[in-house]
Amino acid sequence: MSRTTKICSIVVIGIWLLMALAPSLLAPGDPLAINPTEAFAKPGFAHFFGTDESGRDIYTRVIHGAGDSLAIGLAATALGMGLAIVLGTIAALSPRWLDEIILRVLEALYAIPSLLMALLIIAFTGPGVGPAIVAVGLSTAPGYARLVRSQIRTLKNSEMLEASTVLGRSTWLKVRNHLIPNALKPLLALVTLGIGQAVIWAAALSFLGLGTPPPAPEWGAMLSAGRTYLHLAWWMSLFPGLAIVAVAVCATLIGRALGGKVKSL
Amino acid sequence: MNEQTLITVKDLSVSFGATPAVKNISFSIKAGKVLALVGESGSGKSVTARSLLGLSGGSVTASELSVCGQDARALSDRSWQKIRGNSVSMILQDALMALDPLRPVGREIGDGLKEHTNLSAKQRKQRVLEVLESVRMPEPELRARQRSTELSGGMRQRALIAQALAGNPQVVIADEATTALDSQLTALVLSQLRALKDQGRGVLMISHDLAQVAHLADEIAVMRQGEIVESGSAEQVLNDPQHEYTRKLLHAVPSGVPRYASLSSSGETQPSSAVGVPASGPLALAVADLSKSFGKQSAVDSVSFKLPQGKTLGIVGESGSGKTTTARMVLGLQKPDSGTVELLGERFAPGSESQRRKLREHMGAIYQNPLGSFDPRYSVGQLLADALSRGKSKRASEYRGQMEQLLEQVELSTNLLGRNPRELSGGQRQRLAIARALAPQPSVLVLDEPVSALDVSIQATVLDLLDRIQLETGTSYLFISHDLSVIEHMSDNVAVMHNGRIIEQGDTTEIFGAPQQEYTKTLLSAMPRLR
């Protein structure tokens, strides 16, 4: 990957973080302020990205929506990965019968498309930001868990672990000091890729009206709202859509760059 | 026999970019003679050999480079291809890696013929069988149809040599062809090389170990840092070495050197036995009737031995004789089917790991590949701190003093604390492994092929270090190796393993001087000796 691509990705992710942490810095306006007289204004100097059907400024809403998408992306990945570490480690270290049971369960979950599973979970919990995080997190966990398990199984039989046993380390110390850190290192790239994916899924859930409830500014929800007026005000869908694409692409690019780095180690 | 010169090299230099690998060396290879190129890793031996095949990969200059009558300085890739395998060929080091596991060895051997000759398929097949017979492959017709994974180690080695001989080359290069082989395979390869010499071919032998080449070489050239520092007839170089480095290499060979005598420097006298060891006290290690089988295959069969404190017991045997399985059971890493291991008079195995854990600090382990036993994320300092802290605290600064002491004990610079072990040389890594094992101040060290991956000269310094540590601390060693000369030098007592059993054990001088078992006798006769 070229240097410029890497730098661009890092810059975009940086802007995204800034948008999420201090949205007012970039867009001082109120994302919820309604101004019916300016409804469906075209992108211009007054409104960079135009306005929606209630005259809300799209630019302000895109900026303020970054927080939710970041929270969902990070929290869902953390949840999925955390669960995966626990399940994967237990499976890798337990006797064969328990390993088999955990594996079969993971495979069964893996067979269900992730988004479908997320919908299933939301069907139980009802829509909202919290449920969206849980839904995306839980649906990514089986995939990660299988990777963690295979990593730890390889490491478990390594000379490094034997050396640690000979030095008299308890199982817990071996897991904490050697197994988990070394198993996670090659997964770092994957996690970065996963964040981009989680952002897309969170947006997809909101698009279906199952994530962040309106009128809160959320990219997926905005995309969905713009759909009705697509023939009239293309900008309502275009800019939130571009935001999703930019973040997901950059997370993926960074993930791939990290992946290359891990391989070369 | 005619004294025809097959290869003449004058002022050969090879460099990679700005770094010279070989500087102005000259030698010649004659028909029916063996030239040995000896030196440690990085001295430029392999680059020299590869430049005779046009494979050095660097820029080559020479005032003369004639290969079988051709001026090889300006050869095209195509012309080199005609030389390779036909005039000059090479026996590769690792039989397992060099043969394609998915193709029958017969076809691997015949490949070169297809390329270089006009023989028909039938004639090629005939030729393959001829070569396999000439290297004394048992049942050549059957073996030619088998894949390399179906062959034993010895057969694979024969197939590899046959591959080099298929094109009937005038010159054969053996690049560390005996390194890392156990003594019987080494003897096999050496006898094959001798046969090549008797057939009137020129042989270039490359090795880091003078003992390996001593009996075969007619001429020896000693290389160091890309230069030939000494060359001459084998007799002259071995008996009357002129250069200090040659003397150092000769001195590093452990066979026949008395216990505790230094290998890396001459004239040093050390006390003949360890100090600070209680005359009476529990045995460091007592192993009784240890057995282990995998499925129906018996790996270790009622092995018993005793290791007194401050002493070394050497376990020697071919690969697959059960040495490593024994070591793993002694270390409590593998559950024995039957038998017991007692450490300092207390039951160590069998038993639960939690019971064993409090005894663990009394026994350490050193492996052949130290890097594999280090956590790749840890620096030298973190590794030592982890060993010193028993895994509890991660603050390295608390242990600074102890860490420096350990590094000094193994003669490593304390500047290395912040480095990653990957940046260290092989010898340094093994020293670091020893330092880590010494951290809990163990009474017993189990050393499984600790110097097998090292050059003879580096091996000498590590063996000297182990001697010194034993004298200073009274640590007992269970020393496992396939290398008889190392075992002879390091052990007070020796146990010879064969097919999972200890067939003979006793005092080192007695076993090496007057072996009782037929197998021990063949092992010893296959051992390359200088003195």
Side-chain angles (χ1 to χ4, degrees):
Chain A
M1 195 186 309
S2 80
R3 220 182 131 76
T4 359
T5 326
K6 262 187 231 170
I7 292 172
C8 286
S9 313
I10 291 168
V11 166
V12 170
I13 295 289
I15 294 174
W16 183 41
L17 286 175
L18 187 67
M19 278 156 55
L21 297 174
S24 314
L25 219 63
L26 296 168
D30 178 358
L32 300 178
I34 298 175
N35 188 354
T37 54
E38 287 194 30
F40 299 123
K42 280 191 178 161
F45 281 111
H47 303 283
F48 297 134
F49 293 174
T51 61
D52 65 7
E53 79 278 16
S54 313
R56 290 175 295 205
D57 182 47
I58 303 273
Y59 170 74
T60 313
R61 285 175 66 77
V62 167
I63 301 278
H64 284 258
D68 267 358
S69 73
L70 176 79
I72 296 175
L74 285 183
T77 309
L79 180 73
M81 204 61 210
L83 209 65
I85 291 171
V86 174
L87 275 177
T89 310
I90 292 176
L93 297 182
S94 38
R96 205 187 180 98
W97 62 270
L98 187 54
D99 181 34
E100 289 287 330
I101 291 176
I102 297 177
L103 259 187
R104 293 294 94 77
V105 172
L106 287 179
E107 274 161 15
L109 291 177
Y110 201 60
I112 307 171
S114 301
L115 199 61
L116 205 64
M117 186 139 89
L119 287 175
L120 204 68
I121 294 164
I122 299 245
F124 280 107
T125 59
V129 178
I133 291 173
V134 174
V136 175
L138 286 183
S139 54
T140 51
Y144 290 138
R146 290 181 359 145
L147 289 167
V148 171
R149 176 186 163 277
S150 69
Q151 284 283 333
I152 291 197
R153 275 188 80 90
T154 317
L155 287 166
K156 193 176 76 169
N157 297 321
S158 67
E159 273 191 14
M160 172 184 92
L161 253 278
E162 278 187 7
S164 193
T165 308
V166 170
L167 282 169
R169 300 288 178 268
S170 65
T171 311
W172 163 240
L173 279 177
K174 282 187 277 185
V175 168
R176 193 194 68 185
N177 289 351
H178 303 299
L179 282 179
I180 290 185
N182 279 300
L184 289 192
K185 212 171 159 188
L187 297 184
L188 187 68
L190 210 72
V191 169
T192 322
L193 291 175
I195 292 173
Q197 187 66 48
V199 168
I200 292 180
W201 284 350
L205 287 177
S206 297
F207 182 81
L208 297 173
L210 301 172
T212 320
E218 204 283 340
W219 295 343
M222 288 165 71
L223 207 60
S224 171
R227 193 179 47 158
T228 328
Y229 308 104
L230 207 55
H231 60 287
L232 191 74
W234 49 268
W235 53 90
M236 276 179 69
S237 300
L238 178 72
F239 293 106
L242 278 181
I244 296 171
V245 170
V247 165
V249 165
C250 290
T252 307
L253 287 175
I254 291 177
R256 286 180 56 166
L258 282 174
K261 207 170 164 191
V262 169
K263 240 180 252 162
S264 70
L265 275 180
Chain B
M1 201 176 296
N2 62 338
E3 283 266 312
Q4 191 196 348
T5 303
L6 299 171
I7 291 187
T8 311
V9 173
K10 276 203 184 108
D11 300 322
L12 173 76
S13 295
V14 184
S15 59
F16 298 96
T19 4
V22 175
K23 299 170 216 161
N24 288 323
I25 64 169
S26 307
F27 59 88
S28 61
I29 300 172
K30 298 186 185 74
K33 297 280 176 193
V34 177
L35 169 70
L37 214 50
V38 179
E40 51 193 26
S41 354
S43 60
K45 307 172 305 236
S46 290
V47 175
T48 306
R50 281 181 168 67
S51 61
L52 299 182
L53 289 162
L55 291 172
S56 75
S59 59
V60 180
T61 57
S63 58
E64 187 180 349
L65 181 61
S66 90
V67 176
C68 301
Q70 285 191 67
D71 185 352
R73 281 177 299 176
L75 282 181
S76 64
D77 256 5
R78 249 193 126 70
S79 330
W80 270 121
Q81 265 178 29
K82 281 193 189 126
I83 289 186
R84 289 174 205 148
N86 266 353
S87 311
V88 184
S89 76
M90 177 137 92
I91 300 174
L92 291 156
Q93 189 175 351
D94 190 334
L96 199 56
M97 302 279 283
L99 293 167
D100 189 333
L102 296 177
R103 307 183 67 213
V105 292
R107 214 180 294 165
E108 286 272 281
I109 297 167
D111 267 355
L113 298 172
K114 213 172 179 175
E115 197 71 37
H116 290 304
T117 62
N118 299 322
L119 298 178
S120 68
K122 207 170 169 189
Q123 287 170 312
R124 283 204 302 269
K125 211 168 160 192
Q126 193 54 42
R127 172 73 189 142
V128 167
L129 291 182
E130 267 173 43
V131 211
L132 281 175
E133 252 162 57
S134 78
V135 297
R136 293 167 192 275
M137 174 77 90
E139 303 170 84
E141 296 215 19
L142 169 68
R143 303 305 168 198
R145 289 197 302 270
Q146 288 181 318
R147 293 176 179 80
S148 69
T149 44
E150 296 169 274
L151 302 182
S152 71
M155 292 184 204
R156 241 181 257 146
Q157 214 65 44
R158 287 177 204 268
L160 202 63
I161 297 172
Q163 194 179 23
L165 295 182
N168 202 14
Q170 290 169 276
V171 179
V172 177
I173 301 172
D175 188 357
E176 300 279 9
T178 56
T179 307
L181 298 183
D182 59 36
S183 50
Q184 297 228 346
L185 282 183
T186 303
L188 169 85
V189 174
L190 291 180
S191 72
Q192 292 288 344
L193 291 178
R194 186 181 297 279
L196 297 182
K197 168 183 159 170
D198 294 342
Q199 289 160 14
R201 300 180 212 262
V203 177
L204 175 63
M205 240 184 124
I206 292 182
S207 178
H208 63 91
D209 186 353
L210 271 169
Q212 300 275 9
V213 307
H215 287 277
L216 204 53
D218 298 292
E219 278 177 68
I220 296 179
V222 180
M223 272 192 93
R224 186 194 194 185
Q225 292 170 2
E227 289 173 76
I228 292 184
V229 294
E230 179 165 4
S231 65
S233 74
E235 206 166 299
Q236 184 194 327
V237 172
L238 292 173
N239 296 329
D240 185 22
Q242 298 302 310
H243 197 276
E244 193 199 342
Y245 181 69
T246 314
R247 264 179 249 147
K248 193 181 139 197
L249 280 183
L250 279 170
H251 206 82
V253 176
S255 61
V257 178
R259 207 70 185 92
Y260 295 120
S262 171
L263 299 169
S264 55
S265 57
S266 49
E268 227 175 272
T269 47
Q270 297 196 343
S272 59
S273 73
V275 290
V277 175
S280 64
L283 286 168
L285 205 57
V287 168
D289 276 327
L290 220 49
S291 294
K292 177 82 192 172
S293 46
F294 299 107
K296 279 185 187 153
Q297 191 85 38
S298 167
V300 174
D301 189 4
S302 43
V303 160
S304 305
F305 55 80
K306 292 186 172 74
L307 173 59
Q309 291 192 36
K311 298 283 182 191
T312 298
L313 172 67
I315 297 185
V316 69
E318 294 170 75
S319 17
S321 60
K323 302 180 306 251
T324 295
T325 309
T326 306
R328 288 175 55 83
M329 285 192 283
V330 168
L331 284 166
L333 293 171
Q334 192 130 50
K335 201 168 162 275
D337 293 343
S338 64
T340 55
V341 177
E342 280 183 16
L343 176 63
L344 300 170
E346 289 191 64
R347 167 69 79 88
F348 189 73
S352 74
E353 183 61 34
S354 50
Q355 284 173 323
R356 197 153 41 219
R357 202 161 287 143
K358 64 180 190 322
L359 288 170
R360 283 270 185 212
E361 58 183 301
H362 299 303
M363 179 149 67
I366 308 281
Y367 303 88
Q368 177 172 0
N369 169 21
L371 205 53
S373 70
F374 300 153
D375 189 316
R377 298 173 307 124
Y378 284 4
S379 68
V380 172
Q382 283 170 315
L383 270 175
L384 293 178
D386 178 61
L388 286 164
S389 68
R390 315 198 165 180
K392 279 178 191 116
S393 157
K394 296 206 101 181
R395 236 168 295 126
S397 52
E398 286 173 45
Y399 302 99
R400 181 99 199 169
Q402 281 169 278
M403 284 180 340
E404 287 178 357
Q405 220 175 339
L406 278 173
L407 286 182
E408 271 160 30
Q409 201 175 358
V410 298
E411 294 155 23
L412 281 179
S413 156
T414 51
N415 298 334
L416 297 178
L417 278 176
R419 300 269 285 277
N420 190 293
R422 268 188 302 244
E423 300 163 28
L424 306 183
S425 69
Q428 284 177 320
R429 287 173 189 167
Q430 201 52 284
R431 280 163 196 274
L432 177 60
I434 294 169
R436 178 174 72 161
L438 289 176
Q441 299 183 312
S443 311
V444 181
L445 278 187
V446 177
L447 304 113
D448 190 359
E449 303 275 5
V451 291
S452 304
L454 302 176
D455 276 1
V456 172
S457 48
I458 310 293
Q459 167 183 301
T461 62
V462 172
L463 293 180
D464 282 354
L465 172 72
L466 288 170
D467 271 347
R468 216 199 66 222
I469 289 168
Q470 184 165 58
L471 291 173
E472 282 170 9
T473 63
T475 313
S476 317
Y477 295 154
L478 182 64
F479 199 108
I480 295 169
S481 179
H482 70 271
D483 189 333
L484 286 151
S485 55
V486 171
I487 290 285
E488 184 186 15
H489 172 65
M490 293 301 289
S491 316
D492 297 296
N493 289 298
V494 179
V496 183
M497 276 193 89
H498 183 48
N499 290 339
R501 289 169 170 273
I502 291 185
I503 54 159
E504 187 163 10
Q505 66 176 318
D507 184 75
T508 306
T509 38
E510 278 171 27
I511 299 264
F512 277 80
Q516 299 301 307
Q517 296 291 323
E518 217 37 59
Y519 176 74
T520 317
K521 285 178 194 165
T522 34
L523 264 191
L524 287 175
S525 65
M527 172 178 164
R529 276 174 190 278
L530 269 185
R531 300 172 184 87

